[in-house]
Amino acid sequence: MKIFIPQDMASVAVGADRVAVAVEMEARARNIPVTIVRNGSRGLFWLEPLVEVATASGRIGYGPVNADDVASLFEQRFFDGGPHPKCIGPVEQIPFLAKQTRFTFARAGVIDPLSLDDYRRHGGYQGLEAALSIGPTAIVAAVKDSGLRGRGGAGFPTGIKWETVARTPSARKYIVCNADEGDSGTFADRLIMEADPFMLIEGMTIAGIAVGATKGYVYVRSEYPFAIRVMEQAIDTARRAGMLGNAISGSTHAFDIEVRVGAGAYVCGEETSLLESLEGKRGQVRAKPPLPAIKGLFGQPTVINNTISLASVPFILAEGAQRYAEIGYGRSRGTMPVQLAGNVKHGGLFECAFGVTLGELINDIGGGTASGRPVRAVQAGGPLGAYFPPALFDTPYDYEAFAKRDGLIGHGGLVVFDDTADMAKLARFAMEFCAHESCGKCTPCRIGATRGVEVFDKMIAGIDRDKNLALVRDLCETMKFGSLCALGGFTPYPVLSALNHFPEDFAAPPLPLAAE
Amino acid sequence: MVTTNLAWNVEAAHAIIDRYRDQEGPMLPLLHALQHEFGYVPREAEPVIAAALNLTRAEVHGVISFYHDFRREPAGRHILKLCRAEACQSMGSEANARHLLDMLGLDWGETTRDGRLTVEPVFCLGLCATAPSALLDGEPIGRTDAAILETLAREAA
């Protein structure tokens, strides 16, 4: 009998390895033959460690399981789907999962991440097969037609990037996967790499064929040791199976991938800074133009895409651009893996078509706060994203709709705060983070962020409050329009949204009562 | 798990550099490997790397000092990284961290006087739905609180 126990970093962080050891020992003691599959998480993190068993009526889940629960699970014959207080029934029927449209994350948590056979059995490499049969020009057309936009946050059409690289003649071109997922509240890239790494390999391979690149790099942040390990193993497996190397799947196309590890610099998630880092330099932002598509890594034409963007490609090729494009909202086509994080009851990954409202995501899907207190604010799109108050929960999840409300969807993270949140502190933190992570190349970011922290400190201490408030707004203006990249340019989003939507946190404290 | 590091020696450094020097963009892989071996990137390594990669020492120093990961001094026997990013803040990480640092008499990035434990900040481990998060000697720990951090710190011997 097959028992699934996740091995992704988040599940291990809450005890999945201890559960796996306990299941193995208990099974041996009771002389019950079990096969433990270490899958990736399905992304329902409040249920992790989520133990699943394959039964005749589908996979039955138990969670969150502690090592202490294992003896009683065996007692109740959980391996046959038996009843237990931790039993949550058929996993696919959990509303959080049943309500999703899993295009990109269809296999996450279902398969053994490192089994190429498992990958193929669940639709893997069908996209590559289609890509090889239609050829480079049609691949680029399919990606354009799908409406896929950069999932790193900028939302630039992926197909246009590919077309530019395809049309730029060069003997050497690169595919670079941006897996420097530094935004707090996001873990979709991590889950792709830890739960379904061959999908990313397949997406990058298709990109390579489309633009004529033969070398790919996955730039993974060092904070993701599990993802690094899984990707390296998967690349090795793909290479040995002839799915990477000189003749991809027996074709005339050559493509290979290497994992490169970042070194704790948030700014390296910015594409030009990432390229500098890959070249072995300080991760300083480059001025554009030239675009990376024309002069990218080592001066060569380079496709640099976010992990989710590249991982979305196999589905588009396998199922057709139309199937992807037909769902969505406005100019945001297809699905987005929304990541519910922070102080939220049902935290996890929720892949759905664009257009769902922020309120539905936070309250209906996420179930409100984990603390049970009222939601005060939601930071959408990472540390450079705006804080939304519940009054704006009718905003549809869409690049343009968020921009219209002075926010951004970024990489899909939503961090929930309850009513104990101090918005002045959070606004100050945005400046502090920018100062900590600034690459130093442009003045508005390098100096502005440090000055921003100082001004907030004065304001919080009650010194010249109104004057300093005006100064912060002025500073934000300078950073927004004067910075070279999104780090300095977008830091004003969390700062100004906190000021605009939560002015009470910046007001002078009530005067102390006069002493008797 | 206690990490044991080699003391700085130029032969070992050369061996590591030789392993990477012919790669495209060898600098970061090489620096990671040096830190893995020695526990930090010693200043003595800078001219050795510069010579091998045909760069100036200033350029090498510039790269090492740019990235938060590269340590310029040996760390404690155990390294506890605590996430300070927003998702963890929303679950009370800052107060937990303050409690621990005060208990140990440390500030961020410092090592206990007995050389046992270094506490470092980290900005996001991607464990944002099981916050607050920590990493002890590379092992992830989710759903932490002040008591759990205290236990981790005491048990890291």
Side-chain angles (χ1 to χ4, degrees):
Chain A
M1 50 202 70
K2 255 190 186 172
I3 297 173
F4 296 84
I5 306 171
Q7 199 172 23
D8 76 291
M9 189 165 158
S11 304
V12 170
V14 291
D17 281 352
R18 289 192 295 275
V19 172
V21 169
V23 168
E24 204 180 333
M25 282 170 59
E26 197 70 29
R28 202 176 304 148
R30 290 168 188 258
N31 209 10
I32 297 167
V34 297
T35 309
I36 298 175
V37 177
R38 300 303 302 269
N39 56 338
S41 175
R42 296 211 193 220
L44 282 59
F45 289 113
W46 78 97
L47 290 174
E48 294 294 358
L50 171 61
V51 175
E52 294 179 48
V53 291
T55 72
S57 50
R59 277 160 65 163
I60 305 294
Y62 298 82
V65 172
N66 296 316
D68 300 345
D69 296 322
V70 171
S72 66
L73 281 168
F74 272 89
E75 212 56 54
Q76 298 293 317
R77 301 184 64 82
F78 81 113
F79 41 82
D80 292 331
H84 187 275
K86 291 281 173 83
C87 184
I88 48 163
V91 177
E92 315 262 335
Q93 287 171 27
I94 300 170
F96 188 96
L97 202 52
K99 285 183 192 165
Q100 301 196 34
T101 305
R102 287 212 162 182
F103 284 0
T104 308
F105 286 82
R107 281 175 297 263
V110 176
I111 61 167
D112 173 350
L114 286 168
S115 162
L116 198 51
D117 289 340
D118 229 5
Y119 181 65
R120 287 185 194 278
R121 262 199 303 277
H122 289 82
Y125 276 124
Q126 284 174 12
L128 178 69
E129 213 171 286
L132 285 170
S133 75
I134 62 175
T137 314
I139 299 172
V140 173
V143 175
K144 272 170 77 177
D145 292 344
S146 73
L148 177 66
R149 293 166 69 179
R151 299 289 190 244
F156 188 82
T158 305
I160 306 272
K161 258 191 193 179
W162 289 23
E163 190 170 58
T164 310
V165 177
R167 285 180 180 170
T168 307
S170 175
R172 190 150 176 84
K173 299 180 185 181
Y174 294 97
I175 308 297
V176 175
C177 171
N178 183 345
D180 195 30
E181 184 175 52
D183 286 358
S184 175
T186 67
F187 39 78
D189 296 356
R190 181 178 67 70
L191 209 54
I192 286 169
M193 293 185 280
E194 294 173 7
D196 199 5
F198 292 115
M199 172 172 60
L200 180 57
I201 293 171
E202 185 181 350
M204 291 178 71
T205 307
I206 294 169
I209 293 166
V211 305
T214 50
K215 175 85 192 205
Y217 286 101
V218 184
Y219 185 94
V220 190
R221 57 203 301 264
S222 61
E223 292 85 348
Y224 282 3
F226 285 53
I228 294 164
R229 201 160 57 225
V230 178
M231 275 318 297
E232 281 177 342
Q233 287 174 10
I235 288 168
D236 189 49
T237 302
R239 209 177 277 144
R240 278 186 283 114
M243 300 311 288
L244 286 174
N246 287 328
I248 301 296
S249 193
S251 73
T252 56
H253 294 280
F255 189 70
D256 212 335
I257 300 177
E258 203 180 303
V259 172
R260 283 294 171 92
V261 180
Y266 174 78
V267 74
C268 288
E270 197 282 335
E271 60 179 15
T272 62
S273 160
L274 190 156
L275 295 175
E276 289 285 299
S277 183
L278 265 180
E279 290 181 10
K281 302 173 189 157
R282 292 164 67 88
Q284 284 194 312
V285 173
R286 295 178 185 169
K288 287 190 275 194
L291 295 171
I294 291 163
K295 250 178 101 116
L297 187 60
F298 301 111
Q300 303 304 316
T302 301
V303 167
I304 175 161
N305 282 147
N306 181 257
T307 310
I308 303 174
S309 311
L310 287 163
S312 303
V313 167
F315 176 92
I316 292 166
L317 269 293
E319 303 287 329
Q322 190 52 35
R323 177 106 165 75
Y324 194 79
E326 71 193 7
I327 65 164
Y329 182 96
R331 286 174 50 219
S332 308
R333 308 315 306 169
T335 61
M336 183 73 191
V338 179
Q339 298 132 78
L340 295 162
N343 195 337
V344 62
K345 192 173 171 197
H346 296 153
L349 183 134
F350 190 84
E351 183 178 356
C352 60
F354 286 95
V356 55
T357 67
L358 184 55
E360 286 173 277
L361 287 166
I362 302 302
N363 293 323
D364 304 346
I365 308 297
T369 62
S371 61
R373 303 180 66 97
V375 175
R376 177 133 198 254
V378 174
Q379 189 176 28
L384 308 176
Y387 286 100
F388 282 75
L392 296 181
F393 275 11
D394 61 338
T395 314
Y397 207 80
D398 161 62
Y399 291 100
E400 281 68 33
F402 267 57
K404 223 177 275 170
R405 292 203 156 156
D406 294 319
L408 47 108
I409 66 171
H411 185 56
L414 295 174
V415 177
V416 182
F417 291 82
D418 71 12
D419 62 351
T420 61
D422 179 340
M423 301 311 293
K425 263 193 198 162
L426 288 167
R428 180 194 182 278
F429 177 79
M431 285 289 189
E432 188 188 6
F433 183 72
C434 182
H436 189 258
E437 299 297 336
S438 177
C439 83
K441 182 145 176 170
C442 71
T443 317
C445 175
R446 184 184 68 246
I447 310 278
T450 299
R451 290 287 173 267
V453 175
E454 292 166 4
V455 177
F456 267 111
D457 282 342
K458 283 185 197 156
M459 206 156 56
I460 290 167
I463 302 165
D464 290 337
R465 199 171 294 262
D466 293 341
K467 213 174 99 191
N468 281 314
L469 256 175
L471 198 56
V472 163
R473 287 187 180 275
D474 192 49
L475 182 60
C476 281
E477 189 88 349
T478 304
M479 290 174 73
K480 189 169 176 180
F481 295 104
S483 299
L484 205 49
C485 84
L487 180 52
F490 287 5
T491 293
Y493 277 108
V495 174
L496 292 174
S497 59
L499 283 169
N500 293 337
H501 301 308
F502 307 91
E504 61 276 22
D505 285 22
F506 300 87
L511 289 172
L513 293 172
E516 304 240 333
Chain B
M1 182 186 73
V2 179
T3 42
T4 44
N5 297 117
L6 210 61
W8 161 256
N9 73 82
V10 75
E11 290 77 25
H14 272 300
I16 290 167
I17 293 167
D18 286 345
R19 214 159 58 227
Y20 293 95
R21 62 188 298 169
D22 293 330
Q23 287 189 356
E24 282 187 329
M27 182 69 96
L28 257 62
L30 183 160
L31 291 174
H32 275 303
L34 287 171
Q35 176 148 308
H36 184 76
E37 186 81 294
F38 302 115
Y40 68 113
V41 185
R43 282 178 206 279
E44 296 90 323
E46 289 177 2
V48 186
I49 300 167
L53 301 187
N54 198 22
L55 296 169
T56 64
R57 181 173 180 175
E59 284 171 303
V60 176
H61 180 81
V63 174
I64 298 169
S65 57
F66 182 85
Y67 294 97
H68 300 303
D69 275 5
F70 300 126
R71 246 177 244 114
R72 306 319 315 268
E73 311 284 339
R77 289 195 297 282
H78 298 279
I79 298 166
L80 179 63
K81 295 187 185 216
L82 301 179
C83 180
R84 299 193 68 188
E86 291 90 338
C88 286
Q89 287 185 34
S90 78
M91 292 297 279
S93 61
E94 286 295 283
N96 300 344
R98 189 37 50 207
H99 173 85
L100 181 79
L101 290 168
D102 288 348
M103 183 190 101
L104 298 170
L106 299 180
D107 202 350
W108 290 108
E110 291 180 352
T111 303
T112 53
R113 289 179 67 179
D114 57 6
R116 201 166 55 82
L117 183 69
T118 302
V119 183
E120 293 181 342
V122 61
F123 290 91
C124 198
L125 293 163
L127 310 175
C128 317
T130 49
S133 312
L135 200 63
L136 178 63
D137 299 328
E139 290 301 313
I141 305 139
R143 296 177 189 145
T144 63
D145 57 26
I148 290 173
L149 295 187
E150 219 181 297
T151 309
L152 288 176
R154 286 191 204 284
E155 286 178 358

